[in-house]
Amino acid sequence: MRLSLVVPCFNEVEVIDRFHDAVSRDLAAIGRPYEIVYVDDGSDDGTLEALVQLADTDPAVRYLSFSRNFGKESAMLAGLRYADGDAVVIMDADLQHPPELIARMLELYERGFDQVIARRNRVGDPATRTLLARAYYWLINKWADVELMDGVGDFRLLSRRAVDGLLELGEYNRFSKGLFAWIGFESILFEYDNVKQRGRKSRWTFRRLLEYGLDGLLSFNNRPLRLAIYVGLLMTAVAAGYAVWVIAVAALRGVEMPGYVTLIAAVTGLGGLQMVMLGVIGEYIGRIYYETKRRPHYLLKQTNLNPADHPATRDRRVP
C-alpha cells in the first residue's frame, strides 16, 4: 500500500523545513512507501525555492507551483489529481495538523474506512468564535443538502475510490467540506487537541470567514431562493392586509392626514429587502456564470512531475 500526502502551501517558507522534517520522521517510522505532493499556491516568499531544494534532497518529494494564487480549494484539487497513492492524506503545512496522527489514520483505513477524519477540539479558541462557529454549523445543517460536522476541516485520509469520486466533481466553485460529505463512503471520525502556532497570525480574518460561510451556505442548497419566494408572499399578504385596514378605517372615520413616516419606513424597508433578495439571486447567477466559462481551476508554472505522463492528467492539457 502506497501513501500520498497532499500539502497545500501559501507563503510557508518559515515552517516548510520543520514540517518536512517532522512528517518525514513520522512516515519513516510507519514503514510504508510514500510520496509528499506539495502544492505551491502562488507564494511570493520563497516557498517554491524551498520546495525545489527539498525535492533535490528527498526523492519522495513532488511539487507543483501555480502561476498565481488560485486558492486552497484549487491547491487541494491539484494535489489530489497528481497523488497516485492507494490512500491520500490532506494536511496543512503550518504544523497545526499533527503529523503523528497519520499512523492512526492508516490504522483506521486498514479497518475498511474510506474517509478517516481528524476533528480538532476548540480548546484555546475565543469563546465568541466558538459560539459563532457552532451557530453557523447549526444553521447550515438546517439548510444544506449535506451534513457538515463542527470542527471538521480538510485534515483527513481518503481511500483511492474516495479520491476518484472527488475528482469526478468538476464544478468550478468548490467547497471541499461539502464535497467530502457529498461523496459519502464509509467514514470514521476522531478528535485531537487544538494546536496553536506561536508567532503566526491566522489568515482567517472575519471577512474571509464570512465569505467562506456564505460559500458553504449557497453551494449545497437552493433554499435561499425559495426563502425569497416565501418572504415575497408574506410581504404581499401583509400589504394586502394593511390595504384592507386602511380602507376600513377610511370608511368608518373618514380620510385622515397620511402617515408620511410610516410610508417612508415601509418604502425603505421593502427596498432594503428587495436588495437583499436580489443579492441572493445574484450570487446564484454569478456561480452559474463562472461554471459556464469552464475555466481551469489552476495553471501550473513549475513542477518536477511530467504532467503529460501522469495518469491523473493524461487526458488534460496542462501548460
Side-chain angles (χ1 to χ4, degrees):
M1 192 274 289
R2 178 176 170 83
L3 175 66
S4 294
L5 260 65
V6 172
V7 187
C9 304
F10 178 67
N11 290 345
E12 304 288 359
V13 69
E14 296 180 358
V15 298
I16 195 66
D17 288 332
R18 286 192 288 121
F19 169 83
H20 186 74
D21 291 341
V23 78
S24 298
R25 185 168 55 249
D26 285 293
L27 290 174
I30 293 173
R32 300 289 181 88
Y34 67 88
E35 66 172 358
I36 307 176
V37 182
Y38 291 102
V39 184
D40 171 39
D41 186 19
S43 300
D44 56 10
D45 68 339
T47 297
L48 175 58
E49 290 75 12
L51 295 180
V52 171
Q53 293 180 3
L54 289 176
D56 290 339
T57 58
D58 188 343
V61 171
R62 315 283 187 264
Y63 70 86
L64 309 165
S65 180
F66 290 170
S67 60
R68 64 170 178 84
N69 178 247
F70 285 90
K72 187 179 179 181
E73 294 287 347
S74 296
M76 288 192 294
L77 176 62
L80 292 175
R81 281 178 175 172
Y82 282 84
D84 61 4
D86 303 297
V88 179
V89 174
I90 304 173
M91 60 191 308
D92 292 343
D94 58 5
L95 291 174
Q96 293 196 46
H97 295 162
E100 59 269 20
L101 297 181
I102 297 174
R104 186 176 180 184
M105 288 180 166
L106 283 174
E107 178 185 348
L108 294 171
Y109 162 75
E110 290 173 346
R111 287 166 50 185
F113 293 100
D114 290 286
Q115 292 199 60
V116 182
I117 307 162
R119 178 171 68 180
R120 70 177 182 89
N121 57 37
R122 296 191 178 277
V123 175
D125 282 355
T128 53
R129 181 168 181 171
T130 300
L131 181 63
L132 289 173
R134 289 176 177 171
Y136 166 74
Y137 281 104
W138 177 86
L139 174 64
I140 199 171
N141 285 323
K142 291 290 184 181
W143 285 46
D145 298 330
V146 296
E147 182 180 359
L148 303 182
M149 291 177 284
D150 184 10
V152 169
D154 306 317
F155 187 27
R156 64 185 63 213
L157 179 146
L158 302 168
S159 68
R160 172 45 52 185
R161 66 174 180 173
V163 172
D164 291 341
L166 284 171
L167 294 179
E168 289 184 23
L169 308 179
E171 58 231 60
Y172 184 81
N173 298 285
R174 301 182 69 85
F175 181 71
S176 288
K177 282 187 178 182
L179 297 178
F180 291 140
W182 190 89
I183 62 172
F185 295 115
E186 296 294 326
S187 303
I188 190 171
L189 180 147
F190 67 90
E191 289 194 352
Y192 68 95
D193 291 334
N194 188 21
V195 178
K196 291 288 187 180
Q197 293 296 317
R198 296 180 179 179
R200 286 179 63 87
K201 186 178 180 180
S202 174
R203 298 191 181 109
W204 288 99
T205 62
F206 178 78
R207 179 179 177 180
R208 289 192 64 189
L209 287 171
L210 180 61
E211 291 176 349
Y212 188 73
L214 289 175
D215 282 341
L217 187 62
L218 299 178
S219 294
F220 284 88
N221 74 96
N222 63 350
R223 293 185 185 180
L225 295 176
R226 293 186 179 181
L227 179 63
I229 297 174
Y230 297 146
V231 172
L233 292 174
L234 176 62
M235 297 306 297
T236 301
V238 170
Y242 182 70
V244 171
W245 179 78
V246 169
I247 293 172
V249 170
L252 295 174
R253 302 180 183 178
V255 178
E256 300 179 354
M257 181 66 67
Y260 291 107
V261 175
T262 303
L263 179 62
I264 292 173
V267 171
T268 304
L270 289 175
L273 182 62
Q274 288 175 340
M275 292 301 295
V276 171
M277 295 308 175
L278 284 174
V280 171
I281 296 171
E283 279 288 332
Y284 282 99
I285 294 175
R287 290 167 184 270
I288 296 171
Y289 172 71
Y290 280 107
E291 293 291 344
T292 57
K293 284 179 176 291
R294 301 187 64 83
R295 288 175 178 170
H297 294 86
Y298 56 86
L299 295 175
L300 291 182
K301 176 179 67 175
Q302 183 176 335
T303 179
N304 65 340
L305 294 167
N306 185 353
D309 295 336
H310 197 276
T313 57
R314 188 170 295 146
D315 297 328
R316 299 183 180 91
R317 300 178 65 182
V318 181

